[in-house]
């Protein structure tokens, strides 16, 4: 996201991205970015845990990439979806990857709204990491290592 943010900062006013209005907003956005990164890693861990049970990882990777690209706001900002969809999409783990940190950074979610967003991100991070650990522990029981 760093190159994209640098490019967006160089665009003329009204087209680009501005710095957060306060230092607190910037720190909350950094925390949201860290939680989003944790969710991305946990989702990848889950994907690899599921892939260990299949012969070909391409289907699982394709499905994860499709869901992440659409529901994280990477292809189309989530604010362009209908309001009824946004209520659901913003609660999905994919929205925590990119949409939540960007909304915190741009001030679309204010400092007073940040705890709710960070709580949702934190809950997804705990849930996804726990699921990934469970999958890996379960797979370790079936794993056979060969070699000298």
């Amino acid at each position: 996201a760093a190159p994209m943010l640098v490019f967006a900062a160089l665009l003329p006013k009204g087209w680009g991205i501005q710095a957060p209005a306060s230092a607190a907003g910037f720190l909350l956005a950094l925390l949201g970015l860290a939680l989003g990164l944790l969710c991305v890693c946990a989702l990848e861990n889950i994907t690899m845990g599921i892939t260990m049970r299949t012969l070909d990882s391409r289907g699982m990777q394709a499905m994860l990439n499709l869901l992440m690209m659409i529901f994280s706001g990477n292809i189309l900002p989530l604010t362009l979806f209908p309001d009824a969809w946004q209520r659901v999409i913003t609660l999905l783990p994919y929205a925590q990857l990119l949409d939540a940190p960007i909304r915190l950074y741009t001030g679309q979610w204010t400092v007073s709204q940040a705890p709710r967003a960070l709580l949702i991100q934190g809950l997804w991070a705990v849930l996804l990491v726990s699921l990934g650990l469970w999958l890996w522990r379960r797979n370790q029981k079936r794993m056979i290592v060969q070699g000298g």
Side-chain angles (χ1 to χ4, degrees):
M4 186 171 50
L5 288 174
V6 169
F7 179 74
L10 296 175
L11 291 173
K13 189 172 180 153
W15 291 87
I17 193 167
Q18 306 296 320
S22 67
F26 180 71
L27 293 174
L28 289 169
L30 284 180
L31 181 58
L33 193 60
L35 286 170
L37 179 62
L38 183 61
C39 287
V40 167
C41 293
L43 281 169
E44 186 62 26
N45 193 21
I46 291 168
T47 303
M48 290 300 113
I50 293 170
T51 300
M52 288 176 70
R53 294 183 171 264
T54 64
L55 297 175
D56 191 0
S57 65
R58 290 179 290 181
M60 190 63 191
Q61 285 291 342
M63 186 176 70
L64 177 69
N65 287 338
L66 177 67
L67 290 172
M68 282 201 309
M69 294 293 275
I70 293 172
F71 293 125
S72 70
N74 197 5
I75 293 178
L76 185 66
L78 299 186
T79 54
L80 296 180
F81 282 92
D83 289 339
W85 289 26
Q86 284 186 48
R87 288 187 201 104
V88 175
I89 293 172
T90 56
L91 295 176
L92 295 176
Y94 307 107
Q96 312 317 313
L97 313 180
L98 180 64
D99 185 64
I102 292 294
R103 287 188 195 214
L104 288 168
Y105 183 85
T106 59
Q108 188 173 1
W109 286 342
T110 62
V111 174
S112 63
Q113 294 171 314
R116 179 183 182 272
L118 295 173
L119 177 67
I120 292 170
Q121 279 187 301
L123 289 173
W124 272 115
V126 168
L127 181 69
L128 294 171
V129 167
S130 300
L131 180 60
L133 287 171
W134 176 79
L135 270 173
W136 278 94
R137 286 188 185 120
R138 193 149 183 235
N139 286 337
Q140 283 177 338
K141 293 176 183 177
R142 296 183 51 201
M143 193 172 7
I144 298 171
V145 178
Q146 297 179 358

